[in-house]
Amino acid sequence: FSFLLCANLALEAAAFAPSTTKQSHVLRAAADDQVVDEATRNARIMAPISSIMAAVSPSLGLVSPANAAPSASAFEANLRKNFPGALTNSAISLRVAAALRDRGYTPGNTLFGSSLCSDEINDTAESLVGDFQNKLGTDGVFNLGGLGGLPFVGISGMGAFIHHVPAEGKIFIVFGPHVGISDKGVVGQIERVGQNSISTSCGAGIGAYKAIMGKKGESEAEAYLGTKDFQEEYIIAKLGDRLDALKGQEQSNESITFLTNKMYDLVWEMMRSEINAYTTKDDFWKECTEVTLLGGIVVNRGHGAGVPGGEDFYQPLMLKSLTKDGESDMYGEVFGDFPALAAPHRAAKYV
């Protein structure tokens, strides 16, 4: 047990220590996973030892937020199982806003952008974007996201956004897909205000999943095919072979979790491409001094009749800063005390 404890502590320290290495400001794909950052890869490595520690911790008298007993709530149990380390919107915005203030972000010099799904449940008074606006003191937000959270504004839209930055100012962007978890704990479903039946979330992601799985008898999938709905058709085309592991399986919490992580990959790939189109130009850094990117998965909870409601959650998977001198990883600095973060289940195989 002493060996396991020491090994686990060493791995946690290595995995979540803030990075001090200066890198190129080009956002690059990782060697072993095109879109997974270093913190995520390290979390995957330490997951087996963390699991052992979680099992023996009670006998050792060790208790931590990461291995605390889950709530009896079906929503919370499936949140923790499928999106480990997800925190409430207010907790996420509090932590990140404090780190940004330490880096010189102020209401007067900050341009705030979001690339989240255009679903109205992501644009409420208690939404992640609303929380960030309150804590950062910014007047508005530039909406970069379309269906699924992909930044469908493209190079032109990103350029328009970037050119709104205050003189020698800073840019902060939060991005990612979303998924609902119903009060009964079903991933991909949610109770909506004013509706009597359960709803899908994310409808665009699940609609694409059904189309790819070949369930042509379902009206939700049929509605997207053969239309001029370019955003949904793009998602279907890009997800395609990424969901091969799910073919022949029934829809489940695990399959929709897998889908949602692949949607995150799509959002990050498009975001990285659009950001690189500008940060690789020397004159960009004459207008802007820093760009910070927060990437993760929004987890919506139901707010319909008969359900408790409450804050939505966000599972942070990336927190990076770009300056003219290169790229730095802020993830360990802000989220290092939660070793369950970074979704080790992203490497799971569903066969």
Side-chain angles (χ1 to χ4, degrees):
F1 287 160
S2 297
F3 168 75
L4 288 174
L5 177 60
C6 292
N8 190 62
L9 291 175
L11 278 171
E12 288 189 12
F16 296 104
S19 171
T20 56
T21 303
K22 293 295 182 181
Q23 308 168 3
S24 166
H25 54 63
V26 177
L27 291 168
R28 300 186 184 278
D32 61 340
D33 184 328
Q34 286 191 333
V35 292
V36 178
D37 61 13
E38 183 177 0
T40 304
R41 296 197 306 274
N42 288 334
R44 290 175 177 175
I45 294 170
M46 63 181 281
I49 291 181
S50 294
S51 297
I52 296 173
M53 289 302 301
V56 302
S57 287
S59 63
L60 297 176
L62 301 176
V63 179
S64 74
N67 58 35
S71 165
S73 158
F75 169 85
E76 293 186 9
N78 282 284
L79 171 74
R80 297 186 185 194
K81 176 183 177 181
N82 295 288
F83 302 96
L87 303 174
T88 60
N89 287 343
S90 58
I92 291 288
S93 58
L94 184 66
R95 284 170 175 251
V96 175
L100 293 178
R101 283 194 294 270
D102 288 345
R103 301 177 75 89
Y105 283 72
T106 68
N109 73 2
T110 301
L111 177 64
F112 178 32
S114 75
S115 191
L116 304 176
C117 185
S118 47
D119 193 318
E120 78 280 355
I121 58 178
N122 297 318
D123 189 19
T124 68
E126 294 184 338
S127 69
L128 183 65
V129 169
D131 263 324
F132 270 123
Q133 283 185 271
N134 289 334
K135 291 183 173 66
L136 293 174
T138 56
D139 290 331
V141 57
F142 195 110
N143 295 307
L144 302 163
L147 293 182
L150 279 77
F152 279 116
V153 293
I155 297 294
S156 296
M158 182 62 72
F161 166 66
I162 284 172
H163 285 99
H164 296 173
V165 67
E168 298 184 349
K170 298 172 180 286
I171 291 174
F172 171 57
I173 301 175
V174 58
F175 67 89
H178 76 123
V179 66
I181 300 180
S182 72
D183 192 48
K184 294 183 179 180
V186 179
V187 179
Q189 295 186 356
I190 195 171
E191 301 85 359
R192 295 179 185 265
V193 175
Q195 293 193 350
N196 297 322
S197 58
I198 207 75
S199 175
T200 57
S201 171
C202 170
I206 294 175
Y209 160 81
K210 289 180 177 179
I212 293 166
M213 293 301 106
K215 298 180 180 179
K216 295 184 179 180
E218 304 212 18
S219 59
E220 187 172 12
E222 284 278 305
Y224 294 125
L225 300 177
T227 71
K228 295 181 180 179
D229 188 356
F230 78 93
Q231 291 191 13
E232 185 66 15
E233 289 173 352
Y234 178 93
I235 293 172
I236 293 171
K238 290 296 184 179
L239 277 178
D241 56 6
R242 300 177 194 233
L243 302 185
D244 283 349
L246 302 181
K247 289 184 177 178
Q249 300 184 40
E250 292 296 319
Q251 181 175 326
S252 64
N253 284 357
E254 290 74 22
S255 65
I256 300 304
T257 299
F258 185 90
L259 163 70
T260 305
N261 277 277
K262 295 305 178 184
M263 287 291 293
Y264 172 83
D265 293 351
L266 294 187
V267 178
W268 169 227
E269 287 170 3
M270 185 179 283
M271 176 65 68
R272 185 180 66 228
S273 175
E274 293 176 9
I275 288 289
N276 281 346
Y278 292 95
T279 58
T280 54
K281 298 177 180 179
D282 291 338
D283 58 355
F284 172 83
W285 299 107
K286 296 177 181 178
E287 302 177 16
C288 178
T289 61
E290 185 174 17
V291 177
T292 299
L293 302 171
L294 171 63
I297 296 172
V298 174
V299 182
N300 307 117
R301 67 186 309 164
H303 289 81
V307 297
E311 281 192 87
D312 287 342
F313 286 73
Y314 187 78
Q315 183 192 35
L317 298 174
M318 171 194 302
L319 185 57
K320 293 179 180 292
S321 170
L322 298 175
T323 68
K324 65 180 181 179
D325 297 321
E327 174 185 330
S328 60
D329 182 14
M330 298 169 59
Y331 192 93
E333 171 192 345
V334 178
F335 301 115
D337 56 328
F338 281 83
L341 290 170
H345 66 278
R346 284 167 56 84
K349 304 296 182 183
Y350 297 100
V351 296

